Amino acid sequence: MNGITRRSLLALTGAAAVIDPASADGRVSPKLQALIETHETAYVALHRVVHRAGSSSRDRKRADRIEEEALLAVCSYPAISRGDRWAKAEYLLTVEARGELDVEEHMQAILYSMM
C-alpha cells in the first residue's frame, strides 16, 4: 500500500484548513446541513432496526440501503465553499472513525465531488 489513506486524502483537499467563523465563506450551506442530518437520521434508524427484536432481514436490508444512499449523498456533495469543505470533511472523518466509510463507492463519490 502506498500510505495514502482516506484521512490523508481529505487533508490534501484543503478541507482541514482553519476557517474564520466570521467569514461568509465559512458558513455551511443549508443543502449540506440537510444531507448530513438525513444521514444521521438514517444511521440511527438503521441501528434501531438492527437491534430491534424480531426485525426481519428485509427490514434490515431496507434500512441499510437507505443509510447507504444518505451517506453517498454526503460523499458526492460538491462542497465548494470553505465552510462546506470543512463540514463535509469533519463529518466524513467522524463517520470513517466509526468504520462506516468502507464501501468503494464512498471514495469514488468523494473524488468525483472534487472534480
Side-chain angles (χ1 to χ4, degrees):
M1 183 157 195
N2 61 8
I4 302 259
T5 64
R6 289 177 278 225
R7 208 173 291 267
S8 62
L9 179 65
L10 287 171
L12 289 173
T13 67
V18 176
I19 297 173
D20 175 6
S23 167
D25 197 23
R27 285 183 269 182
V28 180
S29 70
K31 174 68 175 173
L32 180 57
Q33 289 174 345
L35 291 172
I36 289 172
E37 289 172 12
T38 298
H39 177 255
E40 288 174 339
T41 301
Y43 184 77
V44 168
L46 170 63
H47 281 270
R48 206 175 294 135
V49 168
V50 167
H51 297 292
R52 183 178 66 216
S55 66
S56 69
S57 172
R58 182 179 178 202
D59 290 341
R60 289 187 298 273
K61 285 180 184 178
R62 182 176 181 275
D64 182 60
R65 181 183 45 78
I66 291 169
E67 185 272 338
E68 180 70 25
E69 289 173 1
L71 181 55
L72 282 172
V74 174
C75 290
S76 62
Y77 180 78
I80 296 169
S81 73
R82 287 189 310 166
D84 279 356
R85 287 192 308 269
W86 178 267
K88 180 178 174 178
E90 185 174 54
Y91 185 71
L92 292 178
L93 286 170
T94 300
V95 170
E96 194 271 336
R98 293 190 313 242
E100 301 289 333
L101 196 62
D102 57 351
V103 178
E104 182 179 322
E105 288 83 12
H106 295 148
M107 192 46 57
Q108 289 175 350
I110 292 167
L111 291 171
Y112 279 118
S113 76
M114 293 171 21
M115 295 172 63

